[in-house]
Amino acid sequence: DEEIRRLITSQPTLLQLSVKKNLSPSILYWIRQLQIGKDELKTLILGCPALLKYSRANVQGKLMFFQSIMGFSLQECRKLLVSEPRLLTSSVKTGLIPRLEFLNKEIELSLPEIRKMVQKNPRILLMSVEQNLTPKCVFYFIMTLQMNTKDVGKLLIKYPQILDYNLE
């Protein structure tokens, strides 16, 4: 009951959706796409209730990003999304790709290195390039601490949770 209350409180428009036309097909889609079990599905939906309202094209674009562009296997993709369901709220074009490009071009990390980082700290793909990644990586690590790009990359690969810290 508490979980349903939390779900409806965060997404009241779910009450307007048809179980047969909207909710059941969405749930079945997730079960099939990610080969996901009941407990993982519950975690995913409670972590990102809006998921039940997303179009299949929207969801497919995000899954393609994680599998085709990032190179995660289905199992890795499922684990990543269940651990951080909010990744599904990010736009591929204006959110996920710019973050990936920043880490690749500015910090000079390879795709396998970025994948390793994201598996340790999926929230990196939710961080703003302008308000989080650039101030921490460029202005603090590189300019203030005078670290070179390679050392910043090594630090982020070993301990990507450092980006969760407040600069103050």
Side-chain angles (χ1 to χ4, degrees), residues 20-94:
K20 284 186 179 181
K21 291 180 182 176
N22 305 107
L23 297 178
S24 290
S26 291
I27 289 169
L28 278 171
Y29 177 78
W30 281 105
I31 290 170
R32 290 181 182 142
Q33 281 297 330
L34 291 176
Q35 299 173 3
I36 198 167
K38 190 171 126 179
D39 289 337
E40 291 174 318
L41 179 65
K42 178 181 170 183
T43 301
L44 194 65
I45 291 172
L46 288 173
C48 183
L51 183 67
L52 293 170
K53 300 186 311 181
Y54 287 174
S55 71
R56 286 200 175 94
N58 180 337
V59 171
Q60 194 60 41
K62 292 172 188 188
L63 290 177
M64 283 186 63
F65 170 82
F66 289 110
Q67 291 180 305
S68 299
I69 296 173
M70 293 282 307
F72 287 115
S73 68
L74 178 62
Q75 182 181 4
E76 291 169 328
C77 188
R78 179 177 52 241
K79 185 177 179 184
L80 181 71
L81 295 175
V82 169
S83 72
E84 188 53 74
R86 293 179 306 148
L87 287 171
L88 294 164
T89 64
S90 289
S91 163
V92 173
K93 287 182 182 175
T94 61

